[in-house]
Amino acid sequence: MDITLKTLTPLWTGGVDGTMDRLHETGLIGSLRWWYEVIVRGLGGYACDPTGDNHCEYDPQKPAPPEKQLCAACYLFGCTGWQRKFKLIILDESRNLFSIQPKKDGLAENIMMVWQFIQLRPIDDEEKWLLYQAVHIASNYGVIGGRTPRKPQGNKKVGGDSGLFTIENESGIPQEIDKERVMKWLKIGQFRRVTHEEWPDLRWFFFIQKQHLKRKKINELLGLSEDGKKQISHNGFQKALRGKIGVSKKIFSFEKPPGRMWGYLPNQILRERTISYLRENLGIQAENIKNGQEVLHEL
Ligand SMILES: [Zn+2]
């Protein structure tokens, strides 16, 4: 599978000591895995948090086959004892190895690159479909790469927009497969069950297009004072969006025209409360909002 894409903002893939020395495939893969997990959970499958306590591990000494020991995401992306089933090679427009040097804040905008997914071991069509959708959703509604998510603090600007991109071209996309087949494949009980209410699940996302919120308005959405220092409102959805200290943030807003924003909640009720608040108090237009279930429906 080859996907040609173009950066719309700087792209950050991680680096050494806070500077990006080159494009790191591992940063992109980590980001793709995150979207892949979100889609798997959204379709009713299981995906562990690879950084959490209950992550998967493969032990070849155990009689259970790999898929029984692993969640659907680890089955493709690998984990302790089990290697990732594909390799990502990044090429430039002339299909040479990518060698454009990033700047201080990451790879520049309007750079074209080709992501070439090379199969290292047999990959099921269902996995190819999910991987393809992960790239698509990140492109249409989210971002890729990015600095370690940090909670908004005060009015300090935490870097500019990062990680927006468009897909320019694609080939080798799995054709003979659809969502229904993928859902069956995820649910036939072959994968390790692992669920956690708090983990991001595509169904409980909200996505905003053509609009975004600035820091002060985000603080209002979170139930914080204008300077972001005090908690002044404690609605259920606001507590959920604020999350726990030290846990990555749950709202992302991008100024780059035409604007984009997304975030996630732990369930449908809180997602709907958030969407109502966005419409009624923060001037987000109904036609610019989509929920994750609607996005899943389009796949
Ligand atoms: Zn796992």
Side-chain angles (χ1 to χ4, degrees), residues 77-291:
F77 285 86
C79 60
T80 308
W82 181 255
Q83 278 188 342
R84 183 169 8 99
K85 296 204 269 184
F86 69 91
K87 189 162 97 175
L88 175 61
I89 294 180
I90 301 172
L91 305 173
D92 62 23
E93 260 182 292
S94 358
R95 302 189 81 83
N96 294 314
L97 274 183
F98 192 85
S99 61
I100 299 166
Q101 279 299 312
K103 297 194 279 196
K104 210 171 61 200
D105 57 348
L107 191 70
E109 57 186 74
N110 295 319
I111 302 261
M112 299 275 278
M113 65 179 103
V114 180
W115 291 0
Q116 199 165 58
F117 294 90
I118 309 278
Q119 187 165 320
L120 299 174
R121 286 183 291 152
I123 298 180
D124 294 347
D125 281 350
E126 288 85 348
E127 293 174 295
K128 289 180 193 163
W129 185 90
L130 285 163
L131 186 57
Y132 170 72
Q133 300 299 350
V135 181
H136 258 250
I137 290 181
S139 163
N140 289 340
Y141 302 102
V143 287
I144 207 89
R147 297 189 181 254
T148 315
R150 271 184 276 180
K151 281 183 182 292
Q153 278 165 349
N155 291 316
K156 246 186 289 163
K157 203 172 173 194
V158 184
D161 286 355
S162 169
L164 275 78
F165 68 100
T166 54
I167 294 175
E168 301 281 306
N169 208 342
E170 51 197 26
S171 64
I173 309 305
Q175 300 293 338
E176 318 250 303
I177 177 125
D178 58 24
K179 184 173 58 184
E180 277 62 43
R181 223 178 94 187
V182 174
M183 286 175 80
K184 264 191 219 142
W185 177 84
L186 285 169
K187 280 183 195 160
I188 49 174
Q190 63 170 331
F191 293 107
R192 175 176 178 245
R193 285 179 79 105
V194 45
T195 44
H196 193 292
E197 198 197 339
E198 298 272 305
W199 292 344
D201 177 321
L202 187 56
R203 285 171 291 182
W204 321 135
F205 276 58
F206 64 87
F207 297 101
I208 298 171
Q209 286 173 311
K210 299 184 201 150
Q211 280 189 280
H212 78 289
L213 294 177
K214 293 207 192 294
R215 176 67 64 221
K216 279 183 192 173
K217 292 278 179 194
I218 292 179
N219 285 337
E220 189 183 330
L221 177 64
L222 292 169
L224 299 173
S225 57
E226 239 184 47
D227 63 7
K229 288 182 181 154
K230 254 188 285 172
Q231 298 185 356
I232 53 172
S233 183
H234 302 281
N235 288 311
F237 77 87
Q238 293 173 319
K239 284 192 203 163
L241 284 171
R242 292 200 291 256
K244 296 185 195 86
I245 293 163
V247 176
S248 56
K249 67 175 189 173
K250 295 180 175 145
I251 300 183
F252 305 81
S253 182
F254 303 88
E255 225 174 320
K256 170 87 185 177
R260 175 177 296 194
M261 201 174 146
W262 50 279
Y264 60 91
L265 282 298
N267 57 50
Q268 181 169 4
I269 294 170
L270 294 178
R271 182 198 72 199
E272 286 309 301
R273 298 252 156 86
T274 306
I275 290 176
S276 301
Y277 194 91
L278 285 162
R279 290 173 53 185
E280 287 156 23
N281 302 68
L282 297 170
I284 301 292
Q285 321 239 317
E287 64 266 29
N288 292 339
I289 309 178
K290 238 183 229 179
N291 69 50

Side-chain angles (χ1 to χ4, degrees), residues 33 48 56 71 74:
R33 176 179 177 131
C48 73
C56 308
C71 72
C74 287

